[in-house]
Structure formats: C-alpha cells, structure tokens
Amino acid sequence: MPDDALRRLLQGNAHFVADRSFSDESTQRRIAVATAQAPFATIFGCVDSRVSPELIFDQGIGDLFVIRTAGQVLDRAVLGSLEFGVAELGIRLLMVLGHTRCGAVKAAMDVLEQHGAAPAEI
C-alpha cells in the first residue's frame, strides 16, 4: 500500500511537470468527500505558497492529508496531526516535502550566523 501511494504521487508529479494535470475538482468529488475523508498519503511540507502539494502531485480534494509549517518544523501539534493521519485515517505513507531556497530555513541560518553558532553546534 505505501508503494502504491508513492507511485500515485510520482505519477501525479510527472503530470504536473509535463503540464498535463488530471485531478478531479468536480462537484461530484466535493460531494463524495463532504462526509468523510480517506487520503492516501500525508505530505508534511513548508508553508511556502509556491509549493502546493495538491498541485505538484496532481491530486484532488480529499486525496492528500497536508500538514504545513515554516521550514517543516516539527512540534507537538504537527506530531499529533501526523499521528492522527496514521491512527484515525489509516494513512500508510508520509512524505516530508522540502524545497530549494526556503526562506524559513535561510532565516534560521541567518539567526544562527548572527549569534556565531554553526548548525552542527545546535
């Protein structure tokens, strides 16, 4: 099952890259997911508005359980959300999605540099 979920994400990303998106955003789909959710994967990613998991993996409403924080920072709320996806929704695949030139990571590195600390020292 995790292999199938990963395959779906990779195929969806290939659609996105090729500019051939097929995700279902129809009224029928919205009605179908209105009463319950059954996402097939959790994506833990950055809050950057240019990196939307549903778009870059060509998935529709209800397909992904998306958790976003600046720089993929893990705290109790995020951990609880990840656990909820596994325990309550039965999600078998968790993807941590990073991206290049992350402003949150750069800001954190700048603060460390200003205080004379290297990341390995933290």
Side-chain angles (χ1 to χ4, degrees):
M1 187 166 169
D3 291 339
D4 291 337
L6 181 59
R7 180 186 46 75
R8 284 178 67 181
L9 290 177
L10 294 175
Q11 285 177 339
N13 184 248
H15 295 162
F16 173 78
V17 169
D19 202 20
R20 298 182 298 123
S21 294
F22 300 105
S23 65
D24 183 2
E25 305 299 329
S26 68
T27 301
Q28 292 80 12
R29 178 65 181 158
R30 291 191 303 267
I31 291 169
V33 299
T35 57
Q37 61 176 321
F40 70 88
T42 296
I43 308 295
F44 177 39
C46 186
V47 296
D48 191 306
S49 64
R50 300 165 295 177
V51 187
S52 172
E54 293 87 353
L55 294 177
I56 66 172
F57 292 116
D58 190 28
Q59 299 301 316
I61 296 170
D63 292 332
L64 301 176
F65 190 64
V66 179
I67 303 162
R68 297 172 76 165
T69 65
Q72 298 90 0
V73 173
L74 185 66
D75 63 14
R76 288 183 182 169
V78 171
L79 187 57
S81 297
L82 295 170
E83 290 171 344
F84 175 81
V86 172
E88 298 298 322
L89 301 176
I91 299 171
R92 304 289 308 232
L93 178 70
L94 165 62
M95 177 179 282
V96 178
L97 179 64
H99 64 99
T100 57
R101 296 184 300 278
C102 180
V105 172
K106 182 183 180 323
M109 298 299 287
D110 290 348
V111 168
L112 289 174
E113 186 177 297
Q114 289 172 358
H115 292 21
E121 296 173 6
I122 301 300

